[in-house]
C-alpha cells in the first residue's frame, strides 16, 4: 500500500472543541480562531454546527460565524448537521460541505442523536440529496467505529455493513471515527485496509482520539494503509463526551502536523502560524491545552533553543 506524500489536515477545533466549552465563546473570538487557522494554511475545517441552538447553545451563532469568517481560495468550510433542516440552514449560510454523524450503535444513536439508527440513515439520504442539489459536498461520519461505551467493542463487520449502507446511498466522503479513543493501531490498519479494498470508489478519512495515548500511532497505521485525511483539533481542544464525563481527547493539530512534517509528508500548514493559533485557542478558553508541540516546540525549534542557551552560557563564561 502506498503511503501518501501529502495529507489533508481537517481542523475540527472550532466545532468539536468549542461546543464542549462550558461558557459561550463570543462570536468574534470564534471567527478570530478560524481566521488564524486559515492563515496557518488549514484548508479544510469544521467551522461550526447547525444543530438546534437548544441542544448546542455554544454554537448558536453558526450563521454569524459562517458570515463573518475569512475564506481561503480552495478552502472547504464544513458544517456539522443533524438532519435536513440543519442542512438547509448550513447551505444557505454558504457551507461548502455538510457532515452528518451516525453511530454504529443503535443504543448510543438514540442517546446521542435522539433517534434510532434507521431514522438517522433516512436523514443521511435527505442530507445527501440536499447537498447534491446545491452542488455541495456531503460527508458522513461513522461514529463509534471501534467501540461504544454502551455496547462495548464494535466488530469490524458491523462498520463494514454500515459503510455499505451509506456507500449505496451515494456517499463518497466517509469518516471513520474512534469517538471514545478505543482503537489500537492493529485494528485501525485492518479496518482501513478492508474498507479501501471493499469500497474503492469511496474516500475515507479518520477522526481519532488520543484518550489513551494511541492517537498518533493510529494515524500512522492508517497513513501506511494509504489514508490521506485526518481530523485534529487545535491545541487538543474538545473531544466529545455525552455519556462518559470528561472523555476528552481529540488529536492535537500541531502534534499531528509536526509528525507528518518530520516524516517529510506535506500538509500545506505553516507550523509557526499554527502554534500561534494554538496559543490563541488557549487564550480564548483561558486554560492550558494538552499540546506537546506547543509546550516543547518542534525538533528544529528545540535545537535552536539549545544553541541559544549554549551561546548564552559561553558568553557568560568569557
Ligand atoms: Zn472528536
Amino acid at each position: 500500500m502506498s503511503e501518501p506524500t501529502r495529507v489533508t489536515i481537517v481542523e475540527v477545533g472550532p466545532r468539536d472543541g468549542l461546543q464542549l466549552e462550558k461558557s459561550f465563546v463570543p462570536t468574534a473570538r470564534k471567527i478570530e480562531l478560524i481566521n488564524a487557522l486559515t492563515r496557518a494554511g488549514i484548508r479544510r475545517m469544521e467551522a461550526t454546527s447547525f444543530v438546534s441552538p437548544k441542544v448546542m447553545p455554544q454554537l448558536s451563532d453558526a450563521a454569524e460565524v459562517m458570515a463573518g469568517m475569512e475564506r481561503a481560495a480552495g478552502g472547504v468550510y464544513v458544517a456539522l448537521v443533524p438532519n435536513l433542516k440543519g442542512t438547509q440552514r448550513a447551505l444557505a449560510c454558504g457551507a461548502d460541505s455538510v457532515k452528518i454523524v451516525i453511530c454504529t450503535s443503535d443504543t448510543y444513536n438514540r442517546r446521542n442523536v435522539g433517534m434510532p439508527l434507521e431514522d438517522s440513515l433516512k436523514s443521511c439520504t435527505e442530507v445527501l440529496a440536499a447537498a447534491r442539489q446545491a452542488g455541495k459536498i456531503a460527508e458522513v461520519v461513522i461514529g463509534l467505529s471501534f467501540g461504544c461505551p454502551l455496547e462495548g467493542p464494535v466488530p469490524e463487520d458491523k462498520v463494514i455493513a454500515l459503510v455499505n449502507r451509506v456507500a449505496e446511498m451515494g456517499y463518497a466522503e466517509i469518516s471513520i471515527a474512534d469517538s471514545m479513543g478505543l482503537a489500537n493501531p492493529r485494528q485501525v490498519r485492518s479496518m482501513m485496509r478492508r474498507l479501501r479494498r471493499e469500497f474503492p470508489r469511496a474516500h475515507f478519512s479518520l477522526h481519532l482520539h488520543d484518550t489513551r495515548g494511541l492517537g498518533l500511532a493510529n494515524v500512522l497505521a492508517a497513513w501506511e494503509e494509504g489514508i490521506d485525511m485526518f481530523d485534529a483539533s487545535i491545541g487538543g481542544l474538545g473531544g466529545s463526551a455525552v455519556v462518559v464525563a470528561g472523555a476528552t481527547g481529540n488529536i492535537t493539530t500541531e502534534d499531528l502536523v509536526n509528525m507528518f512534517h518530520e516524516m517529510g509528508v506535506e500538509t500545506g500548514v505553516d507550523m509557526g502560524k499554527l502554534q500561534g493559533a494554538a496559543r490563541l485557542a488557549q487564550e480564548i478558553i483561558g486554560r492550558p491545552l494538552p499540546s506537546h508541540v506547543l509546550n516543547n516546540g518542534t525538533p528544529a525549534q528545540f535545537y535552536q533553543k539549545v544553541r541559544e542557551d549554549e551561546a548564552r552560557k559561553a558568553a557568560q563564561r568569557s
Side-chain angles (χ1 to χ4, degrees), residues 16 207 209 239 250:
D16 194 337
H207 181 97
H209 279 203
N250 280 318

Side-chain angles (χ1 to χ4, degrees), residues 150-200:
L150 304 175
E151 292 188 2
V154 175
E156 207 175 85
D157 285 343
K158 200 172 183 182
V159 177
I160 299 287
L162 199 50
V163 167
N164 195 42
R165 295 280 301 270
V166 296
E168 273 181 352
M169 277 176 205
Y171 274 94
E173 288 286 338
I174 303 172
S175 170
I176 302 298
D178 180 23
S179 324
M180 298 287 152
L182 297 164
N184 67 62
R186 199 171 230 180
Q187 269 181 312
V188 170
R189 178 171 293 123
S190 167
M191 175 92 80
M192 301 325 288
R193 185 174 294 177
R194 199 167 153 201
L195 283 169
R196 291 196 75 210
R197 196 175 53 218
E198 295 191 22
F199 304 96

Side-chain angles (χ1 to χ4, degrees), residues 95-314:
D96 302 299
S97 173
V98 287
K99 194 185 250 189
I100 185 166
V101 182
I102 51 170
C103 296
T104 57
S105 145
D106 184 58
T107 317
Y108 194 85
N109 209 76
R110 285 171 197 265
R111 181 96 58 107
N112 194 30
V113 201
M115 60 172 93
L117 183 53
E118 283 305 320
D119 289 3
S120 281
L121 283 162
K122 213 174 295 161
S123 288
C124 287
T125 313
E126 295 169 354
V127 167
L128 178 64
R132 273 188 177 160
Q133 203 178 8
K136 304 294 179 186
I137 306 166
E139 307 174 52
V140 63
V141 180
I142 312 291
L144 304 174
S145 284
F146 297 91
C148 167
L150 304 175
E151 292 188 2
V154 175
E156 207 175 85
D157 285 343
K158 200 172 183 182
V159 177
I160 299 287
L162 199 50
V163 167
N164 195 42
R165 295 280 301 270
V166 296
E168 273 181 352
M169 277 176 205
Y171 274 94
E173 288 286 338
I174 303 172
S175 170
I176 302 298
D178 180 23
S179 324
M180 298 287 152
L182 297 164
N184 67 62
R186 199 171 230 180
Q187 269 181 312
V188 170
R189 178 171 293 123
S190 167
M191 175 92 80
M192 301 325 288
R193 185 174 294 177
R194 199 167 153 201
L195 283 169
R196 291 196 75 210
R197 196 175 53 218
E198 295 191 22
F199 304 96
R201 286 212 304 269
H203 179 246
F204 291 99
S205 64
L206 270 169
H207 181 97
L208 295 164
H209 279 203
D210 194 36
T211 320
R212 287 164 190 81
L214 294 179
L216 291 189
N218 288 335
V219 168
L220 187 66
W223 173 75
E224 286 174 349
E225 286 300 321
I227 302 299
D228 65 356
M229 199 188 277
F230 299 93
D231 289 4
S233 181
I234 190 72
L237 275 174
S240 98
V242 178
V243 176
V244 185
T248 57
N250 280 318
I251 288 179
T252 301
T253 308
E254 54 277 24
D255 291 352
L256 178 65
V257 167
N258 175 65
M259 181 181 86
F260 279 126
H261 286 183
E262 289 301 307
M263 298 195 306
V265 179
E266 279 178 55
T267 67
V269 177
D270 178 305
M271 178 53 87
K273 289 180 182 169
L274 191 65
Q275 286 168 313
R279 276 190 290 276
L280 176 65
Q282 239 174 208
E283 184 204 308
I284 288 173
I285 63 161
R287 62 171 189 276
L289 284 164
S291 161
H292 292 98
V293 165
L294 189 58
N295 296 320
N296 304 316
T298 62
Q301 290 166 338
F302 169 74
Y303 292 133
Q304 175 68 23
K305 185 176 177 300
V306 172
R307 268 198 302 276
E308 285 167 8
D309 288 350
E310 290 298 312
R312 202 173 306 121
K313 277 184 221 158

